[in-house]
PDB file of all heavy atoms in Angstrom:
ATOM      1  N   PRO A  51       6.510 -19.767  -4.483  1.00  0.00           N
ATOM      2  CA  PRO A  51       5.419 -19.496  -5.419  1.00  0.00           C
ATOM      3  C   PRO A  51       5.064 -17.996  -5.389  1.00  0.00           C
ATOM      4  O   PRO A  51       5.321 -17.330  -4.374  1.00  0.00           O
ATOM      5  CB  PRO A  51       4.282 -20.364  -4.899  1.00  0.00           C
ATOM      6  CG  PRO A  51       4.570 -20.512  -3.420  1.00  0.00           C
ATOM      7  CD  PRO A  51       6.082 -20.534  -3.313  1.00  0.00           C
ATOM      8  N   TYR A  52       4.472 -17.504  -6.501  1.00  0.00           N
ATOM      9  CA  TYR A  52       4.070 -16.118  -6.526  1.00  0.00           C
ATOM     10  C   TYR A  52       2.949 -15.948  -7.535  1.00  0.00           C
ATOM     11  O   TYR A  52       2.985 -16.510  -8.636  1.00  0.00           O
ATOM     12  CB  TYR A  52       5.271 -15.249  -6.930  1.00  0.00           C
ATOM     13  CG  TYR A  52       4.971 -13.754  -6.818  1.00  0.00           C
ATOM     14  CD1 TYR A  52       5.179 -13.074  -5.600  1.00  0.00           C
ATOM     15  CD2 TYR A  52       4.493 -13.035  -7.915  1.00  0.00           C
ATOM     16  CE1 TYR A  52       4.906 -11.732  -5.522  1.00  0.00           C
ATOM     17  CE2 TYR A  52       4.230 -11.680  -7.810  1.00  0.00           C
ATOM     18  CZ  TYR A  52       4.409 -11.031  -6.614  1.00  0.00           C
ATOM     19  OH  TYR A  52       4.135  -9.696  -6.512  1.00  0.00           O
ATOM     20  N   GLY A  53       1.984 -15.113  -7.186  1.00  0.00           N
ATOM     21  CA  GLY A  53       0.874 -14.811  -8.077  1.00  0.00           C
ATOM     22  C   GLY A  53      -0.383 -14.463  -7.320  1.00  0.00           C
ATOM     23  O   GLY A  53      -0.580 -14.915  -6.201  1.00  0.00           O
ATOM     24  N   ARG A  54      -1.243 -13.633  -7.927  1.00  0.00           N
ATOM     25  CA  ARG A  54      -2.406 -13.159  -7.238  1.00  0.00           C
ATOM     26  C   ARG A  54      -3.502 -14.183  -7.142  1.00  0.00           C
ATOM     27  O   ARG A  54      -4.154 -14.348  -6.098  1.00  0.00           O
ATOM     28  CB  ARG A  54      -2.965 -11.903  -7.929  1.00  0.00           C
ATOM     29  CG  ARG A  54      -2.055 -10.659  -7.736  1.00  0.00           C
ATOM     30  CD  ARG A  54      -2.661  -9.441  -8.334  1.00  0.00           C
ATOM     31  NE  ARG A  54      -1.866  -8.280  -8.002  1.00  0.00           N
ATOM     32  CZ  ARG A  54      -2.315  -7.147  -7.459  1.00  0.00           C
ATOM     33  NH1 ARG A  54      -3.656  -7.063  -7.225  1.00  0.00           N
ATOM     34  NH2 ARG A  54      -1.522  -6.190  -7.166  1.00  0.00           N
ATOM     35  N   ILE A  55      -3.837 -14.872  -8.264  1.00  0.00           N
ATOM     36  CA  ILE A  55      -4.970 -15.773  -8.293  1.00  0.00           C
ATOM     37  C   ILE A  55      -4.467 -17.236  -8.405  1.00  0.00           C
ATOM     38  O   ILE A  55      -4.851 -18.045  -7.589  1.00  0.00           O
ATOM     39  CB  ILE A  55      -5.879 -15.437  -9.485  1.00  0.00           C
ATOM     40  CG1 ILE A  55      -6.430 -14.012  -9.317  1.00  0.00           C
ATOM     41  CG2 ILE A  55      -7.023 -16.401  -9.572  1.00  0.00           C
ATOM     42  CD1 ILE A  55      -7.242 -13.518 -10.480  1.00  0.00           C
ATOM     43  N   LYS A  56      -3.623 -17.510  -9.358  1.00  0.00           N
ATOM     44  CA  LYS A  56      -3.037 -18.820  -9.509  1.00  0.00           C
ATOM     45  C   LYS A  56      -1.483 -18.689  -9.346  1.00  0.00           C
ATOM     46  O   LYS A  56      -0.796 -18.445 -10.345  1.00  0.00           O
ATOM     47  CB  LYS A  56      -3.362 -19.420 -10.850  1.00  0.00           C
ATOM     48  CG  LYS A  56      -4.865 -19.723 -11.034  1.00  0.00           C
ATOM     49  CD  LYS A  56      -5.123 -20.357 -12.410  1.00  0.00           C
ATOM     50  CE  LYS A  56      -6.626 -20.640 -12.557  1.00  0.00           C
ATOM     51  NZ  LYS A  56      -6.894 -21.216 -13.917  1.00  0.00           N
ATOM     52  N   PRO A  57      -0.988 -18.805  -8.134  1.00  0.00           N
ATOM     53  CA  PRO A  57       0.433 -18.601  -7.924  1.00  0.00           C
ATOM     54  C   PRO A  57       1.314 -19.518  -8.763  1.00  0.00           C
ATOM     55  O   PRO A  57       1.009 -20.704  -8.895  1.00  0.00           O
ATOM     56  CB  PRO A  57       0.599 -18.929  -6.403  1.00  0.00           C
ATOM     57  CG  PRO A  57      -0.738 -18.644  -5.816  1.00  0.00           C
ATOM     58  CD  PRO A  57      -1.729 -19.051  -6.873  1.00  0.00           C
ATOM     59  N   ARG A  58       2.334 -18.894  -9.372  1.00  0.00           N
ATOM     60  CA  ARG A  58       3.255 -19.654 -10.171  1.00  0.00           C
ATOM     61  C   ARG A  58       4.279 -20.358  -9.307  1.00  0.00           C
ATOM     62  O   ARG A  58       4.839 -19.697  -8.391  1.00  0.00           O
ATOM     63  CB  ARG A  58       3.994 -18.767 -11.155  1.00  0.00           C
ATOM     64  CG  ARG A  58       3.063 -17.874 -12.006  1.00  0.00           C
ATOM     65  CD  ARG A  58       3.831 -16.986 -12.972  1.00  0.00           C
ATOM     66  NE  ARG A  58       4.824 -16.168 -12.341  1.00  0.00           N
ATOM     67  CZ  ARG A  58       4.561 -14.977 -11.770  1.00  0.00           C
ATOM     68  NH1 ARG A  58       3.320 -14.512 -11.726  1.00  0.00           N
ATOM     69  NH2 ARG A  58       5.534 -14.252 -11.225  1.00  0.00           N
ATOM     70  N   PRO A  59       4.575 -21.608  -9.484  1.00  0.00           N
ATOM     71  CA  PRO A  59       5.630 -22.247  -8.700  1.00  0.00           C
ATOM     72  C   PRO A  59       7.003 -21.754  -9.097  1.00  0.00           C
ATOM     73  O   PRO A  59       7.193 -21.237 -10.245  1.00  0.00           O
ATOM     74  CB  PRO A  59       5.463 -23.745  -9.012  1.00  0.00           C
ATOM     75  CG  PRO A  59       4.867 -23.744 -10.378  1.00  0.00           C
ATOM     76  CD  PRO A  59       3.967 -22.536 -10.467  1.00  0.00           C
ATOM     77  N   ASN A  60       7.968 -21.840  -8.197  1.00  0.00           N
ATOM     78  CA  ASN A  60       9.350 -21.546  -8.515  1.00  0.00           C
ATOM     79  C   ASN A  60       9.548 -20.202  -9.131  1.00  0.00           C
ATOM     80  O   ASN A  60      10.222 -19.981 -10.137  1.00  0.00           O
ATOM     81  CB  ASN A  60       9.873 -22.623  -9.531  1.00  0.00           C
ATOM     82  CG  ASN A  60      11.402 -22.682  -9.546  1.00  0.00           C
ATOM     83  OD1 ASN A  60      12.054 -22.506  -8.526  1.00  0.00           O
ATOM     84  ND2 ASN A  60      11.942 -22.928 -10.718  1.00  0.00           N
ATOM     85  N   ALA A  61       8.959 -19.158  -8.438  1.00  0.00           N
ATOM     86  CA  ALA A  61       8.960 -17.780  -9.060  1.00  0.00           C
ATOM     87  C   ALA A  61       9.745 -16.782  -8.262  1.00  0.00           C
ATOM     88  O   ALA A  61      10.526 -15.981  -8.867  1.00  0.00           O
ATOM     89  CB  ALA A  61       7.539 -17.336  -9.207  1.00  0.00           C
ATOM     90  N   LEU A  62       9.566 -16.732  -6.947  1.00  0.00           N
ATOM     91  CA  LEU A  62      10.056 -15.583  -6.136  1.00  0.00           C
ATOM     92  C   LEU A  62      11.302 -15.969  -5.313  1.00  0.00           C
ATOM     93  O   LEU A  62      11.306 -16.904  -4.523  1.00  0.00           O
ATOM     94  CB  LEU A  62       8.971 -15.129  -5.185  1.00  0.00           C
ATOM     95  CG  LEU A  62       9.311 -13.991  -4.182  1.00  0.00           C
ATOM     96  CD1 LEU A  62       9.534 -12.663  -4.934  1.00  0.00           C
ATOM     97  CD2 LEU A  62       8.173 -13.836  -3.171  1.00  0.00           C
ATOM     98  N   CYS A  63      12.363 -15.180  -5.489  1.00  0.00           N
ATOM     99  CA  CYS A  63      13.593 -15.401  -4.673  1.00  0.00           C
ATOM    100  C   CYS A  63      13.364 -14.777  -3.297  1.00  0.00           C
ATOM    101  O   CYS A  63      13.128 -13.620  -3.169  1.00  0.00           O
ATOM    102  CB  CYS A  63      14.789 -14.708  -5.372  1.00  0.00           C
ATOM    103  SG  CYS A  63      16.272 -14.726  -4.350  1.00  0.00           S
ATOM    104  N   PRO A  64      13.470 -15.590  -2.257  1.00  0.00           N
ATOM    105  CA  PRO A  64      13.239 -15.065  -0.920  1.00  0.00           C
ATOM    106  C   PRO A  64      14.300 -14.086  -0.449  1.00  0.00           C
ATOM    107  O   PRO A  64      14.034 -13.230   0.433  1.00  0.00           O
ATOM    108  CB  PRO A  64      13.307 -16.334  -0.015  1.00  0.00           C
ATOM    109  CG  PRO A  64      13.178 -17.493  -0.923  1.00  0.00           C
ATOM    110  CD  PRO A  64      13.733 -17.041  -2.247  1.00  0.00           C
ATOM    111  N   GLN A  65      15.482 -14.147  -1.002  1.00  0.00           N
ATOM    112  CA  GLN A  65      16.559 -13.267  -0.550  1.00  0.00           C
ATOM    113  C   GLN A  65      16.414 -11.859  -1.090  1.00  0.00           C
ATOM    114  O   GLN A  65      16.428 -10.866  -0.354  1.00  0.00           O
ATOM    115  CB  GLN A  65      17.926 -13.854  -0.958  1.00  0.00           C
ATOM    116  CG  GLN A  65      19.116 -13.017  -0.602  1.00  0.00           C
ATOM    117  CD  GLN A  65      19.322 -12.878   0.886  1.00  0.00           C
ATOM    118  OE1 GLN A  65      18.883 -13.752   1.681  1.00  0.00           O
ATOM    119  NE2 GLN A  65      19.927 -11.795   1.338  1.00  0.00           N
ATOM    120  N   CYS A  66      16.280 -11.683  -2.422  1.00  0.00           N
ATOM    121  CA  CYS A  66      16.289 -10.319  -3.009  1.00  0.00           C
ATOM    122  C   CYS A  66      14.917  -9.969  -3.601  1.00  0.00           C
ATOM    123  O   CYS A  66      14.763  -8.834  -4.092  1.00  0.00           O
ATOM    124  CB  CYS A  66      17.357 -10.210  -4.067  1.00  0.00           C
ATOM    125  SG  CYS A  66      17.072 -11.151  -5.570  1.00  0.00           S
ATOM    126  N   LEU A  67      13.962 -10.878  -3.610  1.00  0.00           N
ATOM    127  CA  LEU A  67      12.589 -10.653  -4.102  1.00  0.00           C
ATOM    128  C   LEU A  67      12.528 -10.598  -5.624  1.00  0.00           C
ATOM    129  O   LEU A  67      11.553 -10.041  -6.173  1.00  0.00           O
ATOM    130  CB  LEU A  67      11.951  -9.415  -3.482  1.00  0.00           C
ATOM    131  CG  LEU A  67      11.983  -9.308  -1.976  1.00  0.00           C
ATOM    132  CD1 LEU A  67      11.202  -8.058  -1.515  1.00  0.00           C
ATOM    133  CD2 LEU A  67      11.422 -10.557  -1.326  1.00  0.00           C
ATOM    134  N   SER A  68      13.491 -11.122  -6.317  1.00  0.00           N
ATOM    135  CA  SER A  68      13.431 -11.144  -7.761  1.00  0.00           C
ATOM    136  C   SER A  68      12.384 -12.203  -8.206  1.00  0.00           C
ATOM    137  O   SER A  68      12.165 -13.214  -7.538  1.00  0.00           O
ATOM    138  CB  SER A  68      14.780 -11.500  -8.410  1.00  0.00           C
ATOM    139  OG  SER A  68      15.085 -12.913  -8.195  1.00  0.00           O
ATOM    140  N   LEU A  69      11.732 -11.874  -9.327  1.00  0.00           N
ATOM    141  CA  LEU A  69      10.819 -12.778 -10.009  1.00  0.00           C
ATOM    142  C   LEU A  69      11.483 -13.267 -11.316  1.00  0.00           C
ATOM    143  O   LEU A  69      12.580 -12.824 -11.639  1.00  0.00           O
ATOM    144  CB  LEU A  69       9.493 -12.126 -10.316  1.00  0.00           C
ATOM    145  CG  LEU A  69       8.655 -11.755  -9.059  1.00  0.00           C
ATOM    146  CD1 LEU A  69       7.487 -10.817  -9.467  1.00  0.00           C
ATOM    147  CD2 LEU A  69       8.119 -12.999  -8.378  1.00  0.00           C
ATOM    148  N   GLU A  70      10.750 -14.108 -12.028  1.00  0.00           N
ATOM    149  CA  GLU A  70      11.335 -14.669 -13.259  1.00  0.00           C
ATOM    150  C   GLU A  70      11.746 -13.520 -14.218  1.00  0.00           C
ATOM    151  O   GLU A  70      12.837 -13.590 -14.809  1.00  0.00           O
ATOM    152  CB  GLU A  70      10.299 -15.511 -14.018  1.00  0.00           C
ATOM    153  CG  GLU A  70       9.708 -16.637 -13.156  1.00  0.00           C
ATOM    154  CD  GLU A  70       8.327 -16.262 -12.553  1.00  0.00           C
ATOM    155  OE1 GLU A  70       8.147 -15.072 -12.175  1.00  0.00           O
ATOM    156  OE2 GLU A  70       7.451 -17.120 -12.479  1.00  0.00           O
ATOM    157  N   ARG A  71      10.909 -12.493 -14.342  1.00  0.00           N
ATOM    158  CA  ARG A  71      11.255 -11.396 -15.297  1.00  0.00           C
ATOM    159  C   ARG A  71      12.448 -10.627 -14.835  1.00  0.00           C
ATOM    160  O   ARG A  71      13.240 -10.135 -15.668  1.00  0.00           O
ATOM    161  CB  ARG A  71      10.061 -10.466 -15.440  1.00  0.00           C
ATOM    162  CG  ARG A  71       9.630  -9.710 -14.203  1.00  0.00           C
ATOM    163  CD  ARG A  71       8.442  -8.803 -14.533  1.00  0.00           C
ATOM    164  NE  ARG A  71       7.959  -8.045 -13.397  1.00  0.00           N
ATOM    165  CZ  ARG A  71       6.981  -8.424 -12.551  1.00  0.00           C
ATOM    166  NH1 ARG A  71       6.373  -9.595 -12.767  1.00  0.00           N
ATOM    167  NH2 ARG A  71       6.576  -7.658 -11.567  1.00  0.00           N
ATOM    168  N   HIS A  72      12.658 -10.476 -13.510  1.00  0.00           N
ATOM    169  CA  HIS A  72      13.833  -9.697 -13.031  1.00  0.00           C
ATOM    170  C   HIS A  72      15.115 -10.466 -13.289  1.00  0.00           C
ATOM    171  O   HIS A  72      16.112  -9.875 -13.707  1.00  0.00           O
ATOM    172  CB  HIS A  72      13.699  -9.445 -11.541  1.00  0.00           C
ATOM    173  CG  HIS A  72      12.439  -8.724 -11.184  1.00  0.00           C
ATOM    174  ND1 HIS A  72      11.586  -9.159 -10.198  1.00  0.00           N
ATOM    175  CD2 HIS A  72      11.886  -7.595 -11.709  1.00  0.00           C
ATOM    176  CE1 HIS A  72      10.566  -8.356 -10.099  1.00  0.00           C
ATOM    177  NE2 HIS A  72      10.713  -7.387 -11.018  1.00  0.00           N
ATOM    178  N   ARG A  73      15.052 -11.780 -13.108  1.00  0.00           N
ATOM    179  CA  ARG A  73      16.263 -12.601 -13.349  1.00  0.00           C
ATOM    180  C   ARG A  73      16.610 -12.600 -14.860  1.00  0.00           C
ATOM    181  O   ARG A  73      17.779 -12.577 -15.242  1.00  0.00           O
ATOM    182  CB  ARG A  73      16.069 -14.015 -12.810  1.00  0.00           C
ATOM    183  CG  ARG A  73      15.876 -13.983 -11.277  1.00  0.00           C
ATOM    184  CD  ARG A  73      15.873 -15.388 -10.704  1.00  0.00           C
ATOM    185  NE  ARG A  73      14.665 -16.186 -11.010  1.00  0.00           N
ATOM    186  CZ  ARG A  73      13.577 -16.194 -10.295  1.00  0.00           C
ATOM    187  NH1 ARG A  73      13.453 -15.387  -9.193  1.00  0.00           N
ATOM    188  NH2 ARG A  73      12.537 -16.936 -10.643  1.00  0.00           N
ATOM    189  N   LEU A  74      15.541 -12.628 -15.698  1.00  0.00           N
ATOM    190  CA  LEU A  74      15.771 -12.553 -17.141  1.00  0.00           C
ATOM    191  C   LEU A  74      16.362 -11.221 -17.576  1.00  0.00           C
ATOM    192  O   LEU A  74      17.328 -11.151 -18.347  1.00  0.00           O
ATOM    193  CB  LEU A  74      14.456 -12.815 -17.883  1.00  0.00           C
ATOM    194  CG  LEU A  74      14.540 -12.763 -19.418  1.00  0.00           C
ATOM    195  CD1 LEU A  74      15.501 -13.832 -19.951  1.00  0.00           C
ATOM    196  CD2 LEU A  74      13.152 -12.908 -20.022  1.00  0.00           C
ATOM    197  N   ILE A  75      15.839 -10.127 -17.016  1.00  0.00           N
ATOM    198  CA  ILE A  75      16.349  -8.817 -17.360  1.00  0.00           C
ATOM    199  C   ILE A  75      17.824  -8.659 -16.909  1.00  0.00           C
ATOM    200  O   ILE A  75      18.663  -8.119 -17.655  1.00  0.00           O
ATOM    201  CB  ILE A  75      15.476  -7.734 -16.705  1.00  0.00           C
ATOM    202  CG1 ILE A  75      14.113  -7.605 -17.363  1.00  0.00           C
ATOM    203  CG2 ILE A  75      16.175  -6.367 -16.707  1.00  0.00           C
ATOM    204  CD1 ILE A  75      13.106  -6.802 -16.610  1.00  0.00           C
ATOM    205  N   TRP A  76      18.123  -9.182 -15.743  1.00  0.00           N
ATOM    206  CA  TRP A  76      19.507  -9.126 -15.236  1.00  0.00           C
ATOM    207  C   TRP A  76      20.491  -9.814 -16.227  1.00  0.00           C
ATOM    208  O   TRP A  76      21.512  -9.243 -16.609  1.00  0.00           O
ATOM    209  CB  TRP A  76      19.582  -9.794 -13.872  1.00  0.00           C
ATOM    210  CG  TRP A  76      20.944  -9.796 -13.203  1.00  0.00           C
ATOM    211  CD1 TRP A  76      21.955 -10.750 -13.439  1.00  0.00           C
ATOM    212  CD2 TRP A  76      21.467  -8.870 -12.279  1.00  0.00           C
ATOM    213  NE1 TRP A  76      23.047 -10.445 -12.656  1.00  0.00           N
ATOM    214  CE2 TRP A  76      22.787  -9.299 -11.939  1.00  0.00           C
ATOM    215  CE3 TRP A  76      20.944  -7.740 -11.690  1.00  0.00           C
ATOM    216  CZ2 TRP A  76      23.569  -8.597 -11.059  1.00  0.00           C
ATOM    217  CZ3 TRP A  76      21.759  -7.046 -10.781  1.00  0.00           C
ATOM    218  CH2 TRP A  76      23.060  -7.479 -10.463  1.00  0.00           C
ATOM    219  N   LEU A  77      20.121 -10.985 -16.607  1.00  0.00           N
ATOM    220  CA  LEU A  77      20.944 -11.740 -17.571  1.00  0.00           C
ATOM    221  C   LEU A  77      21.021 -11.075 -18.906  1.00  0.00           C
ATOM    222  O   LEU A  77      22.133 -11.051 -19.546  1.00  0.00           O
ATOM    223  CB  LEU A  77      20.412 -13.178 -17.709  1.00  0.00           C
ATOM    224  CG  LEU A  77      20.482 -14.047 -16.433  1.00  0.00           C
ATOM    225  CD1 LEU A  77      19.662 -15.326 -16.634  1.00  0.00           C
ATOM    226  CD2 LEU A  77      21.889 -14.366 -16.075  1.00  0.00           C
ATOM    227  N   TYR A  78      19.909 -10.512 -19.341  1.00  0.00           N
ATOM    228  CA  TYR A  78      19.877  -9.783 -20.646  1.00  0.00           C
ATOM    229  C   TYR A  78      20.782  -8.566 -20.598  1.00  0.00           C
ATOM    230  O   TYR A  78      21.601  -8.332 -21.512  1.00  0.00           O
ATOM    231  CB  TYR A  78      18.474  -9.366 -20.976  1.00  0.00           C
ATOM    232  CG  TYR A  78      18.306  -8.526 -22.209  1.00  0.00           C
ATOM    233  CD1 TYR A  78      18.165  -9.134 -23.436  1.00  0.00           C
ATOM    234  CD2 TYR A  78      18.312  -7.130 -22.141  1.00  0.00           C
ATOM    235  CE1 TYR A  78      17.998  -8.383 -24.574  1.00  0.00           C
ATOM    236  CE2 TYR A  78      18.190  -6.380 -23.287  1.00  0.00           C
ATOM    237  CZ  TYR A  78      18.004  -6.953 -24.501  1.00  0.00           C
ATOM    238  OH  TYR A  78      17.889  -6.222 -25.627  1.00  0.00           O
TER     239      TYR A  78
END
Side-chain angles (χ1 to χ4, degrees):
Y52 187 88
R54 290 184 173 232
I55 299 174
K56 294 181 179 179
R58 309 181 302 276
N60 199 36
L62 177 67
C63 172
Q65 178 65 27
C66 71
L67 308 185
S68 74
L69 293 168
E70 307 98 323
R71 64 179 180 266
H72 304 129
R73 297 188 290 272
L74 178 61
I75 288 169
W76 180 275
L77 295 169
Y78 176 86

